[in-house]
Structure formats: structure tokens, C-alpha cells
Amino acid sequence: MGKHAKHLVWDWNGTLLDDIEAVIGATNAAFAELGLEPITLARYRELYMVPVPKFYERLMGRLPTDDEWTLMDGVFHKHYWQRAEACGLTVGAAELLAARQESGLTQSLLSLAPHTELIPLVRRHGIEERFVRVDGRVGSSTAGKSAHMVRHLAALEGVDPSRIVVIGDAADDAVAAAHVGARAVLYTGGSHSRASLERVGVPVVDSLAEAVQVAEELV
């Protein structure tokens, strides 16, 4: 790819995939298992954080027990993947990915969605060939993205982290970017409110087109 080339690392859920309504529905199904009140989109965006058990702590006033976490995580994923099939790409995503590939610039996808579930969904949307690499999560669902980002960049073979911009919808995307020495741009259409994203201290945008434009200016 060339050590001095600009490279984008895209997040999937809430960034390229417009799935926030599926996430809210699955979250409320998980909450119902423990008798918790349903959560609104606005409240979800204000409180959400990674690792997810800390998000539940904000809502419950305590960390879930291991048994509670196992139950809620299982219910969430069951309901989420039922809904994910109907989710479309975020407005403009397909066109942006195609334009970048056609211009000769590189991009990859890194997600905390399980790898075995991620790959078929990316393929169904017809965008797998836009990326030089697609990585989903392998292992525990409780950790953030930083360790996954290290492995992802190592597999990209020689890309300078200072020439990488991560585009995501969560504070954890910016944390993972900083962990490897990359930059980040955060998009408001996913898991966080604009106010909570702005507290992270990186550029915050309201569209993916703007995210790409800002990313080009950063590196």
C-alpha cells in the first residue's frame, strides 16, 4: 500500500451500517430480560460506552453479574442479528467507498461485530471488494477496539499509523485510533450523541461525506 499513503479504517455498526434502530430494539429486548425499563434513542446515545458492561452499569447503578451479562449479551445478539438483515448502508456510504477505491486510495474495515457474522453481511451489501482488509471481532465481546486495532494495522503491512484516519461513531473508535498513533473522525449518526462525542476531543461530523473530507485534511 505504501508507507506514505493515506488510509482510512472504517467502523461498521452505526457508521457504514445504519443499524441504530436495530441496536435499540435488541438492547430493549435484553433489558426486558432483567425487568429494566426500555431505553430511548436519545438516552442510549447519551449513556452508551465501551466496554458494554459499563454502559449497563450506568443504567442499573451497578455492574451486571456474570450470569446477567451472559443472559443480556445472548438476548441482544439474538434480536440484533434478526434485525440487522433489514438494515441498509448509511446514506452515501456505498458511493464514498467506491469513489475512494476508484481514486486509488486504500481503506479497510474494522468492527467489534463477530467476524463470522460480519463477513456475510458486508458481502450482501456488495462492498467487500472496496476494502483491502475486513476484520471483525474474534473472542470476548466485553473489551474495546484498541487491541483489535493493533492486530488490524499489523496485518496491513507497513502502513504508517500517522497516515491513518479511523472513521467511527463511538468514543472507543477514537481511543483505539490514539492507541496506535492514528487520527480519528467521529460521526453522529450512530451510538453517541454529538455532545458526548465532542467531549472526546477529535473532529465530529454529521455525515460520512464530511467525515471523509475532514479525514483528508487531517493526514
Side-chain angles (χ1 to χ4, degrees), residues 22-32 39 44 55-56 59 72 76 79:
V23 168
I24 296 299
T27 298
N28 282 331
F31 285 179
I39 191 171
Y44 181 96
F55 167 54
Y56 289 158
L59 291 162
M72 294 171 78
F76 173 86
H79 285 269

Side-chain angles (χ1 to χ4, degrees), residues 141-165:
S141 63
T142 60
K145 190 176 276 186
S146 293
H148 298 289
M149 185 69 73
V150 171
R151 291 190 289 271
H152 185 71
L153 265 58
L156 292 177
E157 298 181 353
V159 179
D160 185 347
S162 70
R163 302 291 289 166
I164 291 174
V165 180

Side-chain angles (χ1 to χ4, degrees), residues 109-155:
L109 192 159
L110 178 64
S111 175
L112 288 179
H115 188 77
T116 54
E117 303 283 359
L118 173 68
I119 296 300
L121 191 55
V122 171
R123 286 174 179 164
R124 279 197 290 278
H125 284 286
I127 58 172
E128 184 183 22
E129 70 276 8
R130 305 300 184 197
F131 306 106
V132 297
R133 186 173 183 86
V134 177
D135 285 322
R137 172 178 55 79
V138 178
S140 171
S141 63
T142 60
K145 190 176 276 186
S146 293
H148 298 289
M149 185 69 73
V150 171
R151 291 190 289 271
H152 185 71
L153 265 58

Side-chain angles (χ1 to χ4, degrees), residues 186-197:
L186 298 180
Y187 163 61
T188 60
S191 60
H192 285 28
S193 67
R194 170 173 273 277
S196 61
L197 290 178

Side-chain angles (χ1 to χ4, degrees), residues 14-94:
T15 303
L16 290 176
L17 186 68
D18 183 15
D19 67 347
I20 189 62
E21 293 299 333
V23 168
I24 296 299
T27 298
N28 282 331
F31 285 179
E33 290 291 326
L34 296 187
L36 300 175
E37 291 295 318
I39 191 171
T40 64
L41 174 57
R43 184 162 171 76
Y44 181 96
R45 283 177 163 162
E46 189 56 38
L47 296 179
Y48 181 75
M49 66 180 300
V50 174
V52 176
K54 297 292 289 183
F55 167 54
Y56 289 158
E57 181 182 25
R58 288 182 167 187
L59 291 162
M60 299 169 65
R62 60 174 176 81
L63 281 170
T65 66
D66 289 346
D67 286 345
E68 288 172 336
W69 165 252
T70 299
L71 174 63
M72 294 171 78
D73 192 47
V75 172
F76 173 86
H77 283 100
K78 173 186 174 183
H79 285 269
Y80 173 78
W81 290 109
Q82 290 172 351
R83 292 166 165 82
E85 296 293 331
C87 295
L89 296 178
T90 298
V91 172

Side-chain angles (χ1 to χ4, degrees), residues 74 107 112 116 169 210:
Q107 56 202 338
L112 288 179
T116 54
D169 69 311
E210 188 182 359

